[in-house]
Amino acid sequence: MVLLSITITAKNEAPVIDKVLNNLIKQLNDINHEMILIDNWSSDNTFQILKKYENDHIKVFRYKGSKGSARNFALKKADGKYVMALDADQVYLNLDKFLRDYFSRYSSYSVKIGRSSFPIISPKELLMNVGGWRDLQFAEDWDLWFRLAEACKYIYLIDYDWVFGEHIRSHKNNYSLISKILKYMLKYRDLYIVGLPIRPQNIYNKFFYQLGMVLSFFKNEKKIVYNCTKYLEIPTDKIESEMDWDLQFHYNLIRYQLLTCKNKPIFSEVLSKFENYLKRNYSL
């Protein structure tokens, strides 16, 4: 049986995908793994590049859909006991060290690390049980994390920045005005569907948020009111205003599970590490 399936969904990543994949392959020689590579209907030659890597351990597919549905397609194609979903524009480092930590201490949970570019590592069965990713283009990861937290199976590990190398995004800066407008419309539609309490501050983002709410009525994926999202903005004397919303929400997801789940020791341990990190890095 395959121990670990590494899934990557890529769209128009031709300038960077070779670098990302070659870096990954070098780190995985001693791990029983497979790779599931999905080209999400790129308009460049990303699919042709991915096909060069195809072998008995690397499967390549083409799929057309949202980022969330593409991730879910990869999940269903994976044969591993565990699934590690990664991004196609991020160089990862020290994965062997991280995987030792995960398998020795957290392997019955779904784990997220870093501020971006690491969607999840999890038992495949757990991801399937909560429904995997929904058909969303944005915030599809938060939507999954909320469902995992309500199942008492979500952990955010702080202070793992040493896993992240270069995040290569310069090839994504040449969007047309129409593409940028469409992106904002879909972004705020999906933020509303997920229930992520992000409140736009300027008039333009407020306009797109209102437009996104309207667009959500025409989306098959409807808004779900997750219990845990009510806890995301709960104030705490341990978090100062300088702490951004991303870390605050992850912190409160751990607090939510500590308060509502039976298996409290693991969440108490993770929360303690989180707070020690905050003390070292913020004015607490």
Side-chain angles (χ1 to χ4, degrees), residues 216-280:
S216 71
F217 290 104
F218 301 96
K219 177 72 174 158
N220 289 332
E221 299 286 343
K222 300 304 182 183
K223 181 173 183 179
I224 297 176
V225 180
Y226 297 110
N227 290 327
C228 61
T229 59
K230 302 171 187 176
Y231 286 73
L232 294 183
E233 296 182 295
I234 292 178
T236 170
D237 57 5
K238 290 183 170 57
I239 299 180
E240 299 287 339
S241 59
E242 66 184 88
M243 185 177 174
D244 61 62
W245 67 266
D246 183 88
L247 275 186
Q248 180 181 345
F249 288 179
H250 282 299
Y251 179 86
N252 279 335
L253 280 181
I254 302 300
R255 292 178 71 208
Y256 166 78
Q257 291 173 100
L258 181 61
L259 291 169
T260 60
C261 300
K262 293 181 180 179
N263 190 14
K264 297 181 184 298
I266 186 68
F267 299 115
S268 180
E269 171 196 330
V270 171
L271 194 66
S272 177
K273 291 180 179 179
F274 209 135
E275 291 178 350
N276 288 334
Y277 172 87
L278 297 178
K279 290 175 183 177
R280 294 194 308 269

Side-chain angles (χ1 to χ4, degrees), residues 69-110:
S69 61
R71 291 198 195 280
N72 221 30
F73 178 80
L75 172 64
K76 292 174 182 177
K77 293 293 183 182
D79 292 325
K81 181 178 180 181
Y82 297 92
V83 171
M84 183 164 65
L86 300 178
D87 280 355
D89 59 1
Q90 172 72 59
V91 173
Y92 298 94
L93 310 172
N94 306 300
L95 284 177
D96 54 344
K97 179 182 177 182
F98 167 68
L99 289 171
R100 284 196 298 271
D101 286 354
Y102 175 75
F103 287 128
S104 65
R105 305 172 71 180
Y106 307 107
S107 61
S108 62
Y109 293 85
S110 294

Side-chain angles (χ1 to χ4, degrees), residues 33-268:
H33 76 282
E34 66 172 3
M35 297 179 72
I36 310 295
L37 308 179
I38 309 296
D39 172 66
N40 195 357
W41 221 254
S42 298
S43 58
D44 63 11
N45 64 329
T46 297
F47 180 64
Q48 288 72 28
I49 296 174
L50 294 181
K51 290 294 285 186
K52 295 189 306 181
Y53 291 88
E54 194 167 31
N55 59 36
D56 291 342
H57 304 289
I58 301 178
K59 305 171 187 176
V60 178
F61 301 92
R62 204 165 198 203
Y63 178 87
K64 188 174 185 179
S66 67
K67 186 187 296 184
S69 61
R71 291 198 195 280
N72 221 30
F73 178 80
L75 172 64
K76 292 174 182 177
K77 293 293 183 182
D79 292 325
K81 181 178 180 181
Y82 297 92
V83 171
M84 183 164 65
L86 300 178
D87 280 355
D89 59 1
Q90 172 72 59
V91 173
Y92 298 94
L93 310 172
N94 306 300
L95 284 177
D96 54 344
K97 179 182 177 182
F98 167 68
L99 289 171
R100 284 196 298 271
D101 286 354
Y102 175 75
F103 287 128
S104 65
R105 305 172 71 180
Y106 307 107
S107 61
S108 62
Y109 293 85
S110 294
V111 168
K112 154 79 176 166
I113 60 174
R115 307 300 295 277
S116 64
S117 300
F118 193 100
I120 207 84
I121 181 170
S122 173
K124 178 183 177 181
E125 182 179 11
L126 177 55
L127 293 178
M128 297 296 287
N129 286 344
V130 299
W133 287 269
R134 286 206 290 158
D135 179 15
L136 301 167
Q137 183 63 26
F138 295 92
E140 82 287 349
D141 292 333
W142 280 101
D143 181 81
L144 174 62
W145 301 335
F146 292 157
R147 279 178 281 122
L148 288 166
E150 300 213 329
C152 299
K153 285 293 185 178
Y154 178 72
I155 288 177
Y156 178 84
L157 295 177
I158 197 73
D159 207 12
Y160 274 74
D161 290 344
W162 43 267
V163 171
F164 300 92
E166 184 181 6
H167 195 182
I168 315 169
R169 302 183 60 82
S170 58
H171 60 295
K172 299 180 178 180
N173 295 333
N174 298 319
Y175 291 113
S176 67
L177 179 60
I178 296 299
S179 295
K180 290 179 180 178
I181 291 174
L182 180 61
K183 178 181 176 181
Y184 273 102
M185 288 167 56
L186 296 180
K187 175 183 176 181
Y188 284 112
R189 178 202 68 185
D190 291 350
L191 288 175
Y192 175 76
I193 289 173
V194 169
L196 200 62
I198 303 297
R199 295 180 176 83
Q201 298 300 313
N202 64 58
I203 188 170
Y204 300 105
N205 288 344
K206 287 179 180 179
F207 167 77
F208 281 113
Y209 186 78
Q210 295 293 325
L211 182 58
M213 290 175 61
V214 174
L215 291 176
S216 71
F217 290 104
F218 301 96
K219 177 72 174 158
N220 289 332
E221 299 286 343
K222 300 304 182 183
K223 181 173 183 179
I224 297 176
V225 180
Y226 297 110
N227 290 327
C228 61
T229 59
K230 302 171 187 176
Y231 286 73
L232 294 183
E233 296 182 295
I234 292 178
T236 170
D237 57 5
K238 290 183 170 57
I239 299 180
E240 299 287 339
S241 59
E242 66 184 88
M243 185 177 174
D244 61 62
W245 67 266
D246 183 88
L247 275 186
Q248 180 181 345
F249 288 179
H250 282 299
Y251 179 86
N252 279 335
L253 280 181
I254 302 300
R255 292 178 71 208
Y256 166 78
Q257 291 173 100
L258 181 61
L259 291 169
T260 60
C261 300
K262 293 181 180 179
N263 190 14
K264 297 181 184 298
I266 186 68
F267 299 115
S268 180

